[in-house]
Amino acid sequence: MALMVGAMTIHGIVPGPQVMTKQPELFWGMIASMWIGNLMLVVINLPLVASGSACMRVPYRHLFPMIVIFCCIGVYSLNNAPFERVGDGRSSVSSATGW
């Protein structure tokens, strides 16, 4: 939704309730595109429910290291620094709170 508001602002359209009265074709086009997008998501995701639930059968001893590795890759990819937030203690407090 924020992207749509940004796109409307770039094109000189003031987002707000006046869009419904000043440009109804744009408003209803956005509503229709949201409905179509949601319908496509349902059609795509329904067959994937079984494979998504299969992830729940992965044992914790395998799942936890994979999560930690992906988190480390994500932290490293931010600034290509292997110890991005180790020194300030916020990550340690957040980790302990989440645990």
Side-chain angles (χ1 to χ4, degrees):
M1 195 62 154
L3 289 174
M4 289 184 194
V5 170
M8 289 186 344
T9 304
I10 288 172
H11 289 288
I13 301 168
V14 179
Q18 296 298 322
V19 173
M20 292 190 306
T21 56
K22 290 183 179 177
Q23 295 182 336
E25 61 279 347
L26 173 70
F27 173 75
W28 289 112
M30 285 179 18
I31 297 296
S33 70
M34 287 185 197
W35 276 98
I36 292 169
N38 283 331
L39 181 67
M40 290 173 62
L41 281 173
V42 167
V43 169
I44 291 170
N45 286 330
L46 279 179
L48 298 175
V49 169
S51 62
S53 64
C55 293
M56 300 306 291
R57 289 188 225 127
V58 176
Y60 181 76
R61 66 180 183 272
H62 299 301
L63 190 62
F64 181 73
M66 289 191 310
I67 292 171
V68 170
I69 288 170
F70 283 126
C71 288
C72 291
I73 290 171
V75 167
Y76 180 75
S77 68
L78 288 175
N79 292 325
N80 292 335
F83 301 107
E84 180 67 30
R85 293 268 181 199
V86 174
D88 63 3
R90 283 186 288 179
S91 62
S92 301
V93 172
S94 299
S95 299
T97 304
W99 181 256

